[in-house]
């Protein structure tokens, strides 16, 4: 019998309150002090921190340092270290209990309140909370946080260092809803009705059992009440997480959460005692169904579809790991615009805002736990796959923390309609890094193996046992979604329990196993958990019904995993560091988008990087020597296309070529305007794309980058994204320009960075000066208060470009 994994879900995304799901949570980001040094006395309440640097969170100190060729390439040549944060505060409200909630600290953090050690959390990606109540004073209180990233080359990519996500102070009564204690599911979902079960956990810090009532109210997208239910229960004395249930909660004519229309209800959960509301939380609710089948693939809301996914790390170029929500919004919008419908969180949980945006914008999410388990992987210190590797990592705290980390990830993120897969890990089965197996001798594996079977390395059978443990942790919290893993050494893992420990099996760069393993393991549900961005990798998904999708490496360029200096990171992204589509992003759009599109890129025929090959990385440049032979490649989803130069046809009408995924012409260069025209099968013009010959740099232009959608609520310190362009005298973008731009900000704002998307630019990430790359750069300016903000960009001989915010 074929394997079928069917799910009926009512999944929620927390609208506010930092996903803690209880109390009154307010951001706690202001008025911190920081020092990049270690001091064993810094946790004391009477410690003198007056000379420390004042700052506002989120904060990543690694991106504030200069890259150095002497540092590890895996980190993008940026450092780590040990840093301390301190914040003085008073408790103004009269609530009985107070907590501090951290969305993420990288890494190995220790948190103190008034000199008392609250706890240690080594994982740099998980969110966690501490109870401050027993240790608070009536007057001045001091939070102190020690962050130990001295083992800075502990990851294969850039992680950042410090308190790089939001922090919240939470006030609540003695009895309140538990942290991440609200969970929702639909046991039945049709177009006519939905039956929803609601689980609620309550913390009672009093010494008496209490009678309580839980009341849930469903509001539609306009705020109108459409359903409600309640239940009475007794919460035991000093009880933690007494689960209460509200069953058979009926909703008529429900709207479904879809990728095209991600409809979100609001579910209000209230906790009442003696008839009064003592705690509540509002949750954005999305209803949808999932099905996974070994033969027919993936079905969302009854519709069979291909997952068109990308892998994403958590940095954003010069911003490092402290990425503002506006930048995340634009990134996700840009990916969705090119036809992507899914994101793989590589290889760790991301900031809560990312999941909120995926819920709102309609993107599926594969949530992933970690990149390594009980043994560390190679980290390249001198260049990608070069020199002697390092072996720092998370292995030293794996056994103590992994089950709690995985559980917390699922508890935090289970209420998002966007999340459709839980991943126990990435490439933990990479052959001989660290596990080995006799099957490696003489087997065909499409990735490097660091040699054949090595009996000195840990045996691969351990992988399956750990996978079973972690999958059990996930299913104990949420059995409504399948568990998966991203397998790098499928041939080796097939000899273990790993593939059977998960529900859905991800294949990293092993497309050659899709058909072989489908025949050998007919009940196995298969997809490409990490793939190349070339056309053949997509055709292996498009043309095979049993392969339900792919996640391309990567959605954006990212820091770390760098090549030899100079190299900021790995630039395989569909988007560049500034979140603009690269040529390969346009190539992907041609195969993923349902809207007619066309793009042309150019390069010298028979010379340079690509020669006679057909490239997916051809930039839309039209500046060459007169008469030079130029290859023009066309990425399009139209049935056919032709090429015009200055209004005259220079490239005959050609049909779409499904062998290469593109159309091309070789023509002699002549200056002017080059236009590609895309037509449907009936010969009707559907879309065009034009590039022009540019002259010399003449002027700068600065313009505010708008996002397609706006946040539901105002952001206290919004970040503006400003596009700066070098233009010629006719207003054409000069893509060959490399002018040095200086940015000056006046008014209540600060410059977060200038991003030119040049991977080889190793200048200081936070410098006020940076060269444009291909004629552009993006400036990030964050508002710090009320009033007019004036941002001026200047370069010698071209004058200034000024924008007022």
């Amino acid at each position: 019998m074929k394997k079928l994994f069917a799910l009926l879900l009512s999944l929620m995304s927390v609208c506010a309150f930092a996903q803690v799901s209880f109390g009154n949570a307010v951001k706690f980001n202001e008025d911190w002090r920081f020092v990049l040094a270690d001091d064993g006395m810094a946790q004391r309440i009477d410690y003198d921190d007056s000379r420390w640097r004042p700052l506002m969170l989120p904060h990543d100190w690694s991106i504030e340092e200069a890259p150095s060729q002497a540092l590890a390439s895996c980190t993008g040549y940026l450092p780590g270290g040990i840093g301390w944060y301190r914040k003085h505060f008073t408790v103004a409200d009269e609530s009985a209990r107070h907590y501090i909630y951290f969305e993420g600290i990288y890494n190995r953090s220790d948190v103190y309140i008034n000199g008392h050690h609250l706890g240690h959390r080594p994982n740099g990606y998980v969110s966690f909370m501490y109870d401050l109540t027993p240790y608070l004073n009536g007057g001045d209180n001091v939070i102190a946080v020690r962050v130990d990233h001295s083992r800075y080359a502990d990851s294969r990519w850039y992680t950042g260092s410090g308190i790089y996500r939001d922090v919240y102070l939470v006030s609540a009564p003695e009895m309140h809803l538990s942290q991440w204690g609200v969970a929702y599911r639909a046991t039945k979902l049709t177009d006519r009705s939905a039956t929803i079960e609601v689980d609620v956990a309550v913390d009672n810090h009093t010494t008496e059992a209490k009678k309580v009532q839980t009341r849930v109210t469903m509001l539609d997208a306009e705020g109108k009440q459409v359903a409600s239910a309640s239940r009475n229960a007794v919460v035991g004395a000093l009880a933690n997480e007494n689960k209460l249930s509200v069953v058979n909660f009926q909703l008529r004519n429900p709207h479904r959460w879809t990728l095209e229309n991600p409809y979100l209800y609001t579910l209000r959960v209230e906790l009442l005692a003696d008839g009064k509301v003592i705690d509540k939380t509002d949750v954005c609710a999305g209803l949808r169904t999932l099905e996974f089948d070994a033969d027919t693939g993936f079905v969302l809301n009854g519709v069979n579809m291909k997952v068109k996914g990308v892998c994403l790390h958590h940095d954003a170029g010069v911003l490092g790991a402290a990425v503002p929500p506006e930048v995340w919004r634009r990134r996700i919008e840009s990916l969705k615009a090119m036809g992507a419908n899914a994101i793989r969180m590589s290889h760790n949980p991301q900031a809560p805002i990312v999941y909120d945006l995926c819920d709102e914008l309609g993107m599926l999410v594969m949530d992933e736990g970690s990149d390594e388990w009980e043994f560390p992987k190679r980290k390249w210190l001198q260049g990608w796959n070069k020199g002697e590797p390092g072996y720092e990592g998370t292995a030293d705290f794996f056994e103590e923390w992994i089950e709690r980390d995985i559980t917390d990830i699922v508890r935090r993120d289970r209420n998002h309609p966007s999340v459709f897969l839980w991943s126990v890990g990435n490439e933990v089965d990479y052959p001989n890094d660290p596990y080995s197996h006799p099957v490696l001798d003489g087997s065909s594996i499409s990735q490097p193996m660091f040699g054949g079977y090595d009996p000195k390395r840990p045996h691969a059978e351990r992988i399956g046992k750990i996978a079973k443990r972690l999958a059990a942790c996930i299913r104990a919290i949420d059995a409504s979604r399948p568990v998966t893993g991203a397998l790098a050494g499928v041939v080796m893992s097939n000899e273990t329990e790993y593939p059977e420990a998960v529900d859905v099996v991800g294949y990293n760069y092993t497309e050659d196993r899709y058909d072989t393993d489908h025949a050998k393991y007919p009940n196995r549900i298969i997809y490409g958990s990490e793939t190349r961005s070339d056309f053949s990798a997509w055709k292996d998904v498009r043309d095979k019904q049993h392969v339900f999708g792919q996640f391309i490496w990567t959605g954006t360029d990212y820091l770390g995993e760098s090549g030899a200096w100079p190299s900021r990171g790995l630039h395989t992204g569909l988007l560049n560091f500034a979140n603009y589509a690269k040529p390969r992003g346009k190539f992907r759009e041609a195969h993923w988008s349902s809207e007619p599109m066309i793009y042309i890129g150019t390069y010298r025929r028979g010379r340079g990087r690509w020669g006679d090959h057909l490239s997916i990385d051809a930039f839309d440049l039209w500046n060459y020597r007169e008469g030079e032979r130029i290859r023009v490649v066309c990425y399009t989803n139209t049935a056919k296309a032709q090429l015009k130069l200055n209004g005259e046809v220079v490239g005959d009408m050609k049909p779409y070529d499904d062998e290469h995924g593109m159309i091309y012409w070789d023509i002699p260069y002549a200056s002017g305007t080059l236009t590609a025209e895309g037509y449907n099968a009936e010969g009707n013009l559907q879309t065009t794309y034009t590039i022009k010959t540019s002259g010399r740099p003449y002027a700068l232009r600065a313009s505010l980058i708008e996002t397609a959608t706006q946040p539901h609520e105002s952001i206290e310190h919004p970040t503006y994204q400003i596009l700066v362009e070098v233009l010629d005298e006719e207003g054409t973008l000069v893509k060959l320009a490399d002018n040095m731009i200086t940015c000056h900000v006046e008014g209540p704002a600060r410059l977060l960075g200038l991003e030119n998307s040049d991977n080889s630019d190793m200048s200081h990430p936070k410098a006020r000066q940076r060269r444009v790359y291909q004629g552009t750069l993006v400036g990030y300016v964050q508002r710090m208060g009320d009033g007019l903000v004036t941002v001026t960009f200047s370069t010698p001989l071209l004058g200034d470009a000024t924008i007022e915010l």
Side-chain angles (χ1 to χ4, degrees):
M1 178 182 292
K2 66 183 180 181
K3 185 175 182 181
L4 177 68
F5 201 102
L7 309 172
L8 292 169
L9 297 175
S10 170
L11 303 173
M12 317 300 167
S13 67
V14 175
C15 300
F17 303 156
Q19 296 202 347
V20 294
S21 301
F22 77 95
N24 180 31
V26 295
K27 282 188 178 179
F28 204 54
N29 293 337
E30 307 279 351
D31 302 322
W32 287 78
R33 289 184 175 271
F34 170 75
V35 65
L36 185 56
D38 196 11
D39 189 331
M41 298 292 103
Q43 77 274 15
R44 294 175 51 174
I45 192 170
D46 59 352
Y47 182 89
D48 182 7
D49 58 17
S50 60
R51 295 185 179 182
W52 289 17
R53 170 189 166 194
L55 55 72
M56 182 180 72
L57 302 178
H59 172 243
D60 171 10
W61 80 66
S62 289
I63 202 66
E64 296 177 340
E65 303 296 314
S68 170
Q69 196 167 354
L71 296 173
S73 61
C74 63
T75 71
Y77 301 97
L78 290 166
I82 298 176
W84 278 88
Y85 297 84
R86 283 169 59 91
K87 177 179 170 73
H88 295 255
F89 70 102
T90 57
V91 178
D93 66 80
E94 298 180 356
S95 299
R97 307 202 70 81
H98 294 87
Y99 305 84
I100 188 167
Y101 178 79
F102 295 94
E103 290 186 349
I105 303 176
Y106 205 93
N107 64 347
R108 302 176 188 269
S109 65
D110 289 275
V111 181
Y112 302 83
I113 176 67
N114 296 329
H116 176 81
H117 186 233
L118 291 172
H120 173 70
R121 200 65 186 252
N123 191 313
Y125 295 110
V126 297
S127 301
F128 57 94
M129 185 178 74
Y130 294 123
D131 188 353
L132 304 177
T133 309
Y135 316 105
L136 290 175
N137 299 321
D140 183 50
N141 295 277
V142 177
I143 284 281
V145 182
R146 182 180 186 267
V147 184
D148 183 359
H149 195 202
S150 56
R151 286 172 273 194
Y152 80 105
D154 61 351
S155 176
R156 297 190 294 159
W157 58 89
Y158 177 84
T159 62
S161 303
I163 309 178
Y164 69 105
R165 295 181 185 164
D166 286 327
V167 181
Y168 287 79
L169 186 66
V170 186
S171 57
E174 288 284 10
M175 185 165 58
H176 56 77
L177 301 170
S178 301
Q179 177 190 9
W180 307 325
V182 176
Y184 309 80
R185 58 191 171 274
T187 58
K188 179 182 178 182
L189 177 60
T190 69
D191 291 340
R192 299 186 64 181
S193 68
T195 302
I196 303 171
E197 290 184 353
V198 182
D199 292 336
V200 180
V202 177
D203 286 358
N204 182 10
H205 293 277
T206 72
T207 58
E208 298 179 358
K210 297 283 187 179
K211 292 182 179 180
V212 299
Q213 182 186 55
T214 56
R215 182 170 65 198
V216 295
T217 305
M218 185 76 87
L219 309 175
D220 64 17
E222 287 72 44
K224 178 183 177 182
Q225 180 177 322
V226 291
S228 64
S230 63
R231 182 179 178 182
N232 298 323
V234 176
V235 180
L238 298 175
N240 185 27
E241 297 188 7
N242 280 255
K243 290 187 178 179
L244 314 174
S245 294
V246 179
V247 296
N248 296 323
F249 179 83
Q250 298 292 321
L251 178 66
R252 294 182 178 179
N253 304 316
H255 297 277
R256 295 190 187 233
W257 183 91
T258 68
L259 302 182
E260 299 76 23
N261 180 27
Y263 191 95
L264 293 173
Y265 292 92
T266 297
L267 189 72
R268 180 161 295 159
V269 179
E270 296 172 302
L271 182 66
L272 294 85
D274 300 323
K276 297 180 179 180
V277 176
I278 60 174
D279 197 13
K280 69 176 182 179
T281 186
D282 281 354
V283 169
C284 293
L287 310 178
R288 47 87 169 131
T289 62
L290 308 174
E291 296 175 60
F292 295 82
D293 184 87
D295 291 329
T296 58
F298 173 62
V299 173
L300 176 65
N301 292 317
V303 179
N304 190 274
M305 59 174 288
K306 293 293 185 180
V307 170
K308 304 169 183 177
V310 299
C311 302
L312 278 185
H313 281 311
H314 71 301
D315 72 276
V318 296
L319 298 174
V323 182
E326 299 92 340
V327 176
W328 269 114
R329 177 178 292 274
R330 185 166 148 258
R331 174 178 289 180
I332 296 172
E333 287 180 353
S334 296
L335 290 168
K336 191 174 177 68
M338 69 174 57
N341 60 23
I343 292 173
R344 176 188 177 203
M345 304 304 191
S346 308
H347 302 288
N348 45 262
Q350 304 265 14
I353 184 62
V354 184
Y355 302 82
D356 292 340
L357 288 169
C358 289
D359 293 343
E360 176 192 334
L361 299 177
M363 291 283 275
L364 296 169
V365 169
M366 172 178 167
D367 213 2
E368 195 153 70
S370 62
D371 186 53
E372 61 185 33
W373 288 351
E374 58 180 342
F375 300 104
K377 295 177 180 177
R378 291 170 169 84
K379 280 82 178 180
W380 299 106
L381 308 180
Q382 301 171 19
W384 181 235
N385 282 358
K386 295 179 182 179
E388 291 296 323
Y391 287 93
E392 298 291 351
T394 60
D396 61 304
F397 59 80
F398 175 82
E399 281 298 330
E400 179 181 359
W401 287 97
I402 187 59
E403 292 187 15
R404 181 176 175 182
D405 286 347
I406 287 290
T407 298
D408 283 354
I409 292 168
V410 177
R411 281 169 53 82
R412 191 196 75 169
D413 296 341
R414 60 183 166 172
N415 290 332
H416 289 282
S418 55
V419 176
F420 81 126
L421 288 173
W422 301 115
S423 172
V424 295
N426 170 66
E427 295 188 348
V428 295
D429 62 335
Y430 202 96
N432 287 323
D433 191 19
Y435 298 96
S436 197
H437 191 281
V439 75
L440 297 180
D441 286 334
S443 296
S444 174
I445 298 179
S446 60
Q447 288 181 282
M449 296 184 298
F450 302 110
Y453 173 54
D454 185 352
K456 296 180 181 180
R457 295 187 178 276
H459 198 278
E461 66 181 13
R462 302 170 67 96
I463 302 171
K465 300 183 185 303
I466 295 173
K468 291 171 71 174
R469 281 173 52 199
L470 302 187
C473 291
I474 293 172
R475 294 179 184 124
I477 303 299
D478 177 31
S480 67
R481 303 171 180 85
V483 178
T484 188
L487 278 60
V490 178
V491 172
M492 183 175 75
S493 286
N494 282 342
E495 303 298 317
T496 76
E497 298 177 288
Y498 189 6
E500 294 304 316
V502 298
D503 306 299
V504 177
V505 184
Y507 284 47
N508 283 15
Y509 307 106
T510 42
E511 291 87 354
D512 60 319
R513 303 293 307 183
Y514 287 167
D515 291 339
T516 302
D517 283 10
H518 179 57
K520 188 174 182 179
Y521 310 102
N523 294 331
R524 181 178 296 180
I525 302 171
I526 294 173
Y527 70 103
S529 44
E530 189 170 318
T531 75
R532 305 178 311 277
S533 56
D534 59 63
F535 190 45
S536 63
W538 168 239
K539 288 202 293 185
D540 281 329
V541 174
R542 184 196 68 181
D543 300 340
K544 300 180 189 300
Q545 190 177 17
H546 64 279
V547 181
F548 72 73
Q550 69 171 169
F551 289 89
I552 288 174
W553 193 263
T554 56
T556 65
D557 291 348
Y558 62 96
L559 299 176
E561 209 162 7
S562 303
W565 180 282
S567 173
R568 298 163 64 193
L570 196 61
H571 52 293
T572 58
L574 303 181
L575 306 179
N576 60 25
F577 285 117
N579 293 320
Y580 281 105
K582 294 161 62 177
R584 61 176 51 202
K586 290 296 185 179
F587 181 76
R588 183 55 45 187
E589 183 180 350
H591 302 294
W592 280 0
S593 177
S594 58
E595 298 296 323
M597 70 81 61
I598 196 167
Y599 168 92
I600 47 174
T602 68
Y603 48 95
R604 291 181 175 87
R605 171 76 162 82
R607 294 173 55 191
R609 178 180 174 187
W610 299 298
D612 292 330
H613 297 288
L614 295 177
S615 173
I616 65 172
D617 294 312
F619 286 99
D620 52 352
L621 176 70
W622 195 238
N623 283 76
Y624 297 95
R625 293 189 180 95
E626 291 291 327
E628 197 170 11
R629 198 72 173 167
I630 303 301
R631 173 154 290 180
V632 181
V633 290
C634 175
Y635 315 149
T636 185
N637 57 11
T638 60
K640 49 191 175 181
Q642 70 177 5
L643 190 67
K644 290 182 178 179
L645 178 60
N646 298 324
E648 300 294 329
V649 174
V650 292
D652 294 338
M653 187 78 74
K654 288 186 177 182
Y656 171 80
D657 180 0
D658 197 52
E659 178 181 357
H660 302 104
M662 67 181 78
I663 301 168
Y664 74 96
W665 302 270
D666 293 329
I667 64 172
Y669 172 77
S671 63
T673 301
L674 189 67
T675 302
E677 298 178 338
Y679 295 80
N680 62 18
E682 291 73 34
N684 299 314
L685 179 65
Q686 291 187 294
T687 183
T688 63
Y689 192 88
T690 296
I691 57 179
K692 295 181 179 180
T693 304
S694 64
R696 295 181 180 277
Y698 178 78
L700 296 182
R701 178 171 64 192
S703 55
L704 191 64
I705 302 172
E706 301 286 353
T707 56
T709 59
Q710 299 302 321
H712 292 315
E713 58 183 359
S714 62
I715 299 173
E716 185 177 2
H717 298 288
T719 297
Y720 301 96
Q721 303 168 78
I722 304 170
L723 175 63
V724 181
E725 301 168 284
V726 177
L727 307 178
D728 68 9
E729 196 167 0
E730 295 182 356
T732 301
L733 177 65
V734 184
K735 296 177 182 178
L736 295 176
D738 65 348
N739 300 69
M740 179 67 76
I741 305 295
T742 300
C743 179
H744 182 68
V745 179
E746 293 184 11
R750 62 172 179 166
L751 177 66
L752 297 182
L754 299 173
E755 180 55 72
N756 63 6
S757 297
D758 181 2
N759 187 58
S760 65
D761 187 343
M762 306 304 290
S763 56
H764 197 294
K766 295 301 182 181
R768 291 194 310 115
Q769 291 185 318
R770 189 172 294 270
R771 292 191 180 277
V772 298
Y773 179 64
Q774 296 176 345
T776 69
L777 62 75
V778 171
Y780 300 107
V781 176
Q782 185 177 49
R783 178 176 287 281
M784 303 302 292
D786 296 332
L788 178 66
V789 174
T790 303
V791 185
T792 302
F793 300 92
S794 60
T795 188
L797 304 180
L798 302 189
D800 297 345
T802 299
I803 189 167
E804 293 183 347
L805 306 174

